């Protein structure tokens, strides 16, 4: 098989390529990535010389480059996106360009060249926010209600992907995944920012009261879900992908991290909240479990620890990115 992976120099895309090359060593992967502030070739270093792997620097909005690559592709896996909610609040325009227009350019080229599958990576954030008090979870039938420029642009991309299935019969699948954590996550995001702050002897910065809840999934479990959907998923279907956490708050996660480093709670710094901050996400992943037999394999407590250890052992990877990440927060006042 020949795969075009977009956004493969980012957090989940680079983990996915590593995962796929290990499991399907005869497949060929082309990674199309623009290398924005979020794309790092250092994340692909361990497989960059694999003879079945090729990197192309380019923009998914550029139909010339996209067509030239898709004409030789069986499967497109679309990770490329502007993915950071905080950046979408500072500047929404790039989010609409890449997440909406870029996806449409990929869909057009996929249709033109009769590809076998277009798999679109999306997020649970398209469904909006749940109440802290409720036990509700998002599922495949939850009505879309995005509330940040990021989630609104991802919602639009999901709709346009489905429209190409219903209107033109393009063989698509979509996964809406919960928050990921693991190696190679940009130190702008909560997990990586907090761990790298603690390694540097600084506090964890907690937005608002810290009682915000996300559903957390180790990144390799996300990769295995995508693998199953590509191989066994039903064309035109959407699958929710979520983790093993039950309503753990940012504050509780920060406390676990601080205690790993044997620090006290003076290392929790509460500060300025995110505008329009979604209170709670929770994902019901019973459909992918019952239809495809997928389950997360990595429990939160052990893989939180292993993730911390990875950042401790791989300063070469995150140190050069840390200043750029903190520049953003100086602008938003979240330092
Ligand atoms: P990321 O920001 O780490 O990586 C995004 C990658 O896309 C970067 O390498 C960047 O250079 C590239 N890119 C951006 N614009 C591009 C363009 N116009 N053309 C080509 N490449 C471009 O993001 P991530 O966390 O790895 O997320 C990957 C995907 O998964 C996104 O679609 C995101 O919406 C989705 N998702 C992420 C999470 C999460 O917790 N991180 C959860 C659910 C879904
Ligand atoms: O320093 C911080 N302190 C803090 O309390 C940062 C960076 C974040 N937070 C909070 C905000 C959120 O409640 O932590 C939570 C997680 O924040 P992010 O890591 O920015 O993730 P989130 O906004 O939930 O979005 C992520 O998961 C869903 C990804 O960035 C999206 O691409 C994905 O769709």
């Amino acid at each position: 098989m020949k795969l075009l992976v977009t956004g493969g120099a980012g957090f989940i895309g680079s983990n996915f390529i590593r995962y796929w090359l290990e499991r399907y060593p005869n497949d060929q992967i082309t990674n199309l990535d623009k290398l924005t502030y979020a794309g790092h070739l250092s994340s692909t270093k361990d497989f960059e010389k694999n003879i079945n792997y090729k990197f192309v620097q380019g923009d998914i909005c550029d139909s010339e480059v996209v067509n030239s690559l898709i004409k030789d592709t069986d499967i497109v896996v679309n990770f490329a996106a502007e993915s950071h909610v905080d950046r979408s609040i500072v500047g929404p325009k790039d989010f609409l360009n890449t997440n909406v227009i870029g996806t449409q350019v990929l869909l057009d080229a996929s249709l033109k060249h009769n590809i076998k599958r277009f798999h679109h990576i999306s997020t649970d954030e398209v469904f909006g926010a749940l109440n802290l008090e409720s036990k509700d979870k998002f599922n495949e039938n939850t009505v879309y209600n995005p509330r940040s420029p990021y989630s609104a642009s991802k919602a639009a991309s999901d709709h346009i992907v489905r429209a190409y299935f219903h209107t033109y019969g393009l063989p698509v699948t979509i996964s809406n995944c919960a928050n990921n954590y693991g190696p190679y996550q940009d130190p702008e995001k909560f997990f990586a920012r907090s761990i790298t702050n603690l390694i540097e002897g600084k506090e964890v910065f907690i937005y608002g009261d810290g009682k915000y809840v996300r559903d957390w999934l180790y990144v390799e479990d996300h990769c295995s879900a995508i693998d199953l959907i590509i191989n066994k998923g039903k064309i035109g279907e959407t699958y929710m992908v979520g983790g093993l956490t039950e309503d753990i708050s940012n504050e509780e996660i920060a406390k676990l991290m601080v205690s790993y480093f044997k620090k006290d709670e003076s290392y929790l710094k509460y500060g300025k909240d995110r505008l329009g901050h979604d209170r709670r996400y929770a994902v019901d992943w019973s459909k992918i479990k019952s239809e495809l037999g997928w389950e997360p394999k990595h429990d939160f407590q052990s893989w939180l620890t292993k993730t911390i250890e990875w950042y401790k052992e791989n300063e070469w990877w995150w140190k050069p990115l840390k200043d750029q990440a903190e520049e953003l927060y100086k602008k938003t006042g979240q330092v």
Side-chain angles (χ1 to χ4, degrees):
M1 283 289 184
K2 290 182 177 169
L3 279 76
L4 176 67
V5 173
T6 69
F11 165 44
I12 308 174
S14 62
N15 276 285
F16 176 78
I17 295 174
R18 182 173 300 106
Y19 170 100
W20 197 276
L21 287 171
E22 275 167 20
R23 276 163 191 79
Y24 305 100
N26 298 322
D27 283 358
Q28 290 172 27
I29 298 188
T30 301
N31 172 11
L32 172 64
D33 196 300
K34 187 177 172 182
L35 298 183
T36 66
Y37 63 88
H40 314 301
L41 285 182
S42 53
S43 307
T44 65
K45 216 172 170 35
D46 54 316
F47 54 77
E48 69 186 2
K49 294 204 167 71
N50 186 311
I51 48 164
N52 284 325
Y53 170 77
K54 185 172 93 175
F55 173 70
V56 176
Q57 183 169 5
D59 191 331
I60 59 166
C61 300
D62 178 346
S63 93
E64 206 175 310
V65 69
V66 163
N67 272 283
S68 73
L69 297 176
I70 289 191
K71 73 172 168 16
D72 200 23
T73 293
D74 299 307
I75 299 170
V76 175
V77 192
N78 182 30
F79 291 94
E82 288 288 342
S83 76
H84 194 179
V85 176
D86 291 319
R87 280 193 187 259
S88 85
I89 294 166
V90 176
K93 192 173 172 211
D94 288 345
F95 285 72
L96 294 175
N97 279 337
T98 289
N99 300 1
V100 187
I101 305 297
T103 300
Q104 185 266 327
V105 168
L106 290 168
L107 289 165
D108 260 352
S110 300
L111 197 58
K112 185 171 170 191
H113 299 290
N114 283 317
I115 62 149
K116 295 193 177 84
R117 177 72 68 84
F118 185 96
H119 183 69
H120 183 61
I121 310 296
S122 192
T123 169
D124 59 356
E125 301 200 12
V126 298
F127 302 111
L130 298 165
N131 290 328
L132 213 46
E133 301 74 34
S134 89
K135 289 272 163 259
D136 293 348
K137 293 188 172 190
F138 300 133
N139 65 38
E140 290 79 2
N141 298 316
T142 305
V143 174
Y144 277 49
N145 184 23
R147 294 153 37 100
S148 74
Y150 162 68
S151 54
S153 67
K154 290 298 286 187
S157 72
D158 292 7
H159 293 318
I160 193 77
V161 171
R162 267 187 213 104
Y164 271 66
F165 166 68
H166 289 291
T167 309
Y168 308 113
L170 186 73
V172 310
T173 40
I174 299 177
S175 45
N176 290 89
C177 189
N179 281 59
N180 287 212
Y181 66 97
Y184 300 103
Q185 184 171 39
D186 196 286
E188 277 190 358
K189 303 282 176 83
F190 176 58
F191 240 80
R193 184 184 187 204
S194 306
I195 294 169
T196 54
N197 273 7
L198 287 166
I199 295 173
E200 290 187 330
K202 298 181 194 137
E203 301 112 323
V204 175
F205 189 88
I206 297 177
Y207 292 2
D209 60 11
K211 295 182 178 27
Y212 290 90
V213 168
R214 267 90 184 103
D215 190 316
W216 291 97
L217 179 72
Y218 188 66
V219 63
E220 198 180 310
D221 284 326
H222 189 184
C223 297
S224 71
I226 299 164
D227 179 1
L228 262 186
I229 297 168
I230 289 173
N231 282 301
K232 292 197 190 147
K234 201 168 152 212
I235 302 297
E237 292 285 315
T238 293
Y239 298 89
M240 300 294 307
V241 180
L244 292 167
T245 54
E246 289 289 340
D247 277 11
I248 189 165
S249 69
N250 298 339
E251 182 184 51
E252 287 168 302
I253 293 174
K255 284 183 181 169
L256 288 173
M257 292 174 175
V258 163
S259 82
Y260 171 94
F261 285 92
K262 303 195 174 21
K263 308 274 191 206
D264 62 29
E265 292 190 5
S266 66
Y267 277 80
L268 304 178
K269 183 175 180 187
Y270 293 82
K272 190 175 164 193
D273 209 345
R274 172 182 284 174
L275 296 176
H277 199 170
D278 287 342
R279 197 38 107 168
R280 172 175 171 262
Y281 305 143
V283 170
D284 169 0
W285 41 271
S286 53
K287 174 178 168 179
I288 187 168
K289 182 177 180 191
S290 64
E291 293 187 10
L292 307 183
W294 176 85
E295 283 190 307
K297 292 202 168 60
H298 299 82
D299 71 281
F300 186 74
Q301 187 81 43
S302 333
W303 289 85
L304 164 68
T305 303
K306 288 197 169 72
T307 301
I308 296 174
E309 285 163 359
W310 187 88
Y311 284 90
K312 280 172 70 183
E313 285 157 15
N314 289 281
E315 291 200 6
W316 69 273
W317 181 82
W318 61 264
K319 275 269 183 203
L321 312 176
K322 190 71 178 154
D323 286 352
Q324 169 191 281
E326 290 306 312
E327 280 307 310
L328 169 71
Y329 294 112
K330 278 184 204 145
K331 275 190 216 143
T332 63
Q334 286 159 313
V335 280

